Amino acid sequence: MNDLQPKTIFLSDYEVPDFLIDSTDLTFDLNAEATLVTSVLSIRRNPDSNKPTAPLILNGQELKLQSVALDGTALSAQQYELDDEQLVIASTPDTFQLTIEVLINPQANTSLEGLYKSRTMFCTQCEAEGFRKITYYLDRPDVLSEFTTTVIGDKTEFPVLLSNGNAINQGDLADNKHFVTWHDPFRKPAYLFALVAGDLDVVNDTFKTCSGRDIALQIFVETKDLDKCDHAMNSLKKSMRWDEEVFGREYDLDIFMIVAVDDFNMGAMENKGLNIFNTSCVLAKPETTTDATFQRVEAIVAHEYFHNWSGNRVTCRDWFQLSLKEGFTVFRDSEFSADMNSRTVSRVENVSLLRTMQFAEDGGPMSHPVQPPSFMEISNFYTLTIYEKGAEIVGMIHTLLGAEKFRQGSDLYFERHDGQAVTIQDFIAAMEDASGRDLTQFKRWYSQAGTPNLKVSDHYNADAQEYELTFEQSCPSTPEASSSDKKPFHIPVAIGLLGDAGNLPLQIKGSGVNSETEDNTNLVLELTETKQSFVFSDVKEQPVPALLRGFSAPVKLHYEYTRDELMQLTRSEDDGFCRWDAGQQLAVQVINDAMDAYRAGDEYEVDQRLVDAYSAILSDQSLDKAMTALMLQLPSEAYLSELADQIDVDAIHYARQSVRRQIANKLKGAFTSTYKANTSAASYSPSAEQIAQRSLKNVCLSYLMLLGSDDSLELAQDQINSATNMTDEISALAALVNCEASGAIAIKDQALGAYYNKWQDEALVINQWLSVQATCSLPNGLDRVQRLMQHPSFDIKNPNKVRSVIGAFCNGNAINFHCEDGAGYKFLADQIIVLDAMNPQIASRLLTPLTKWRRYAPEQQELMKTQLARIKASSSLSKDVYEVVSKSL
Ligand code: TRP
Ligand code: ZN
């Protein structure tokens, strides 16, 4: 910031708006440098406001005001006040019409917020507070208005003119221009407004709703991408059907449109009836798109579609309620993905993300409650905590209430609050009212930040045949509250007890225990106190406890399993999550040994039990192949870092690598035969079966490539050359690029060159090529990244390119980013300073790895802090970057 610090906004200061806007009539006369926006607003004083003489204060940024008229009479400059952030009219009637004309410059808008140009098209992004860059307005989610939008543009350049709702009028104008008028019958906050104009092609389809209405479905793309829309369209139809069947939600408008744009800060946006997507989250075809992206497209299309109810029909009162729509909608899209694919695999993937990334966020300087009490810049709060932890909380409600009561709660919520802007507390109240359960204590999940620790101990009394489990919870200090001030959470813990022959029947001794029995081998214990014990009777043998089945709560569980117990769980635990996690815990123990040896300069021979476990997994034909592939992967460097007291980047990298290489050596035969058995000539489909098969095959390949033998190099080359899909092509390329063998150098360069020549016209494919190189863990990573930034395919104004190169390097290449002299940190700070002047949201997000400085050794801490301080001292910092830098120093 230049001089004054940005101000902090508090949830506790919330007041209802002093004015309401019943209708909003917009006209856009599109022009790249000077678009004229005319708005006609029907305004009245809010009967619920207790300030009957309050001035009208409209938000506005980067606007050139042309005129303001009240009930048709132009206001003179003395009748209003104008500054960089608002337009204030001190005295107004109780009901009136305000007409405002502003000029905006979409071409110069590199923040990608408001109205901007992406390549040849105009598009908008208004969430959270971007509408104020379009015109003066009450830009807050509790002001709901009926929008009518007329878009005027050149007929040749912009044959397609779109906005929310239904097209109600269109026609030709002078000077080769034309117009389309759109009307959205559903009142909405300004953040859901959208406009698109361009020379776009369209894929059309239809959907018949449960009540028999026909909905027109359209996906708009540039002509070159017309062949990449089928998967998104199928995903959309599946989402629409699923939301009817599982949540009883029918689509409301007669048309649903999706537009793909290249320059976009996030994944996608749920604008009413006109979702706008980052091309990376909607386009897909086998030759260019990996399996992971096929699944991502399906999930994001669903997520944005589901917002039509959880977000649009029922919206947020203020931005402190962001998780009301995001947590609930992520829960809904995760359930959808679980139903469309393997439920266990989906769950493991979600938990992995949560434990690696969200736990790290919750333990860092930006840690915040799911309902934050304050913020400077709301864009900084589109976090893993709001989205993923928010979804876990909704999931816990689902566990506590059961599927049926949960559905009744959701129905009541939508029915009670349709057309309203509400709070997280309203959501909980609907769940309570429908189920009769008291969620008072449970609500602490929304107000207390930090990941709870859950220590579990046990005792078996053979004489009494009783088994006791004791749980102790605590929550670390976070910026808003110290550990000692935190109150116990209400935690659902799903458990089972394993005996030699499988699950033991569970019977709790005594009374007064809040547990809900699903069957007699699976129990949900409800923890509500700091320390709590449960005694099971009739336990005939010393059991191994299976704890937190399905990851029933977002906590860090601590129970001292022996390696043999972990082996038993990986072999025979029923719950897929616990079974996978047991393998992870075993591997963590082994890698920790390897790290100790690395630091002592000793050789380390891998614990044979881990090799045996992997060997058993490879030959277990009863396992789903996607599960086999997951279970064969060692915990990531990021997860190992999250578990460490102090992150030792080198030890983590080299220890993990050494364990991987030894496993590859010892199980070479099994990896080779599994690889061969899963090579298929079938034509590509993104089906669960095929995805599972490819992922298992490629896990085997990555192990075999660690051997660096001529055989394995040949295997990778053959796979690249014969690949019929991007999953196989890019997996082999990544394995080759990371191969240390000297024989690989020439082969790599040749393969990278050939890939570029083949795909240079496909931006999204080139992004993968950039990422593969940016994340290569071999020495001299920083040089490689700096060279990539000089490559013609790089463009610092395009967020996808920035994420593929700078983001990939700083977040996915620890060994190079954390190089000893701090050059990686300086590089990142340089990029942030450049980017902040163009796109503050992207600059701010990119900062994350530097904010984690407290987790590293003292010398590294100093180097990281120096760069943060440098960023903080740079002139005209955005609010976004200022908030993150100042909170993390
Ligand atoms: N509401 C969007 C979603 O989760 C998030 C989003 C898209 C967003 N674009 C944004 C948030 C720009 C902030 C800024 O689906
Ligand atoms: Zn969302």
Side-chain angles (χ1 to χ4, degrees), residues 125 127 266 268-270 303-304 325-326 382 387 841:
Q125 171 55 40
E127 187 177 4
M266 307 269 281
M269 179 62 211
E270 70 265 23
H303 178 97
E304 305 311 331
K325 73 177 176 81
E326 296 304 346
Y382 286 74
Y387 279 69
Q841 288 182 6

Side-chain angles (χ1 to χ4, degrees), residues 160-451:
V160 174
L161 303 172
L162 309 174
S163 189
N164 317 84
N166 308 307
I168 54 169
N169 194 9
Q170 58 189 67
D172 287 343
L173 300 168
D175 302 326
N176 195 44
K177 286 186 179 183
H178 69 148
F179 78 95
V180 180
T181 300
W182 294 82
H183 173 246
D184 180 356
F186 294 95
R187 289 162 66 247
K188 65 169 176 288
Y191 85 85
L192 291 172
F193 170 80
L195 176 156
V196 170
D199 185 1
L200 301 174
D201 253 305
V202 60
V203 174
N204 288 292
D205 209 324
T206 59
F207 178 82
K208 196 181 269 307
T209 70
C210 52
S211 73
R213 294 170 41 244
D214 284 306
I215 314 295
L217 309 179
Q218 300 191 298
I219 300 181
F220 292 89
V221 292
E222 289 183 40
T223 308
K224 66 178 170 59
D225 293 323
L226 214 42
D227 59 344
K228 305 188 193 79
C229 298
D230 288 358
H231 183 62
M233 188 63 90
N234 287 329
S235 302
L236 175 60
K237 289 188 280 184
K238 285 194 214 169
S239 308
M240 295 176 86
R241 188 62 74 214
W242 186 91
D243 212 15
E244 293 181 345
E245 287 170 357
V246 180
F247 276 86
R249 301 292 114 202
E250 184 180 355
Y251 187 62
D252 46 13
L253 289 161
D254 298 329
I255 174 170
F256 185 85
M257 298 174 279
I258 286 177
V259 182
V261 309
D262 261 306
D263 302 283
F264 205 69
N265 283 348
M266 307 269 281
M269 179 62 211
E270 70 265 23
N271 317 298
K272 184 76 186 187
L274 179 56
N275 288 1
I276 298 184
F277 275 64
N278 187 323
T279 44
S280 72
C281 295
V282 60
L283 303 178
K285 69 168 183 176
E287 297 76 29
T288 60
T289 311
T290 61
D291 291 337
T293 302
F294 266 91
Q295 291 185 318
R296 203 163 111 90
V297 166
E298 180 181 78
I300 297 181
V301 167
H303 178 97
E304 305 311 331
Y305 173 73
F306 296 156
H307 268 315
N308 190 56
W309 276 96
S310 48
N312 301 3
R313 285 289 287 261
V314 181
T315 196
C316 300
R317 187 191 72 173
D318 53 71
W319 293 118
F320 300 101
Q321 319 301 328
L322 182 57
S323 195
L324 172 73
K325 73 177 176 81
E326 296 304 346
F328 188 23
T329 304
V330 172
F331 171 78
R332 278 151 55 66
D333 83 58
S334 301
E335 282 296 304
F336 168 76
S337 293
D339 283 347
M340 295 301 123
N341 305 287
S342 149
R343 182 162 281 270
T344 300
V345 171
S346 297
R347 186 65 188 142
V348 167
E349 286 168 353
N350 287 344
V351 174
S352 224
L353 173 72
L354 187 87
R355 288 205 306 202
T356 306
M357 309 298 287
Q358 195 277 327
F359 281 15
E361 180 174 281
D362 229 351
M366 285 298 287
S367 173
H368 55 276
V370 173
Q371 186 175 50
S374 68
F375 58 74
M376 286 180 194
E377 170 52 61
I378 185 57
S379 300
N380 285 329
F381 286 77
Y382 286 74
T383 59
L384 289 148
T385 300
I386 299 292
Y387 279 69
E388 308 302 324
K389 187 175 182 177
E392 291 299 318
I393 298 176
V394 176
M396 286 191 284
I397 298 174
H398 189 274
T399 302
L400 291 170
L401 268 56
E404 203 176 314
K405 288 271 161 49
F406 180 89
R407 169 64 193 274
Q408 287 164 10
S410 149
D411 287 352
L412 179 61
Y413 169 72
F414 288 126
E415 189 194 325
R416 192 183 267 179
H417 298 298
D418 190 9
Q420 298 177 3
V422 304
T423 63
I424 287 171
Q425 284 68 25
D426 292 321
F427 177 78
I428 299 295
M431 288 292 167
E432 290 185 318
D433 292 349
S435 67
R437 289 218 47 168
D438 180 353
L439 298 174
T440 310
Q441 181 180 2
F442 183 82
K443 280 191 275 194
R444 286 182 192 150
W445 282 108
Y446 288 103
S447 58
Q448 296 187 147
T451 308

Side-chain angles (χ1 to χ4, degrees), residues 705 708 713-714 716-717 720-721 729 731-757 769 772-773 775-780 784 787:
M705 286 295 290
L713 285 175
E714 209 171 298
Q717 277 179 288
I720 292 173
N721 295 332
E729 191 169 343
S731 306
L733 186 70
L736 190 58
V737 164
N738 280 288
C739 182
E740 283 170 38
S742 54
I745 296 171
I747 301 174
K748 260 181 232 192
D749 289 344
Q750 187 277 329
L752 283 167
Y755 183 103
Y756 183 78
N757 288 336
W769 178 82
V772 161
Q773 298 175 78
T775 53
C776 168
S777 60
L778 301 183
N780 302 319
R784 274 195 301 277
R787 264 200 310 273

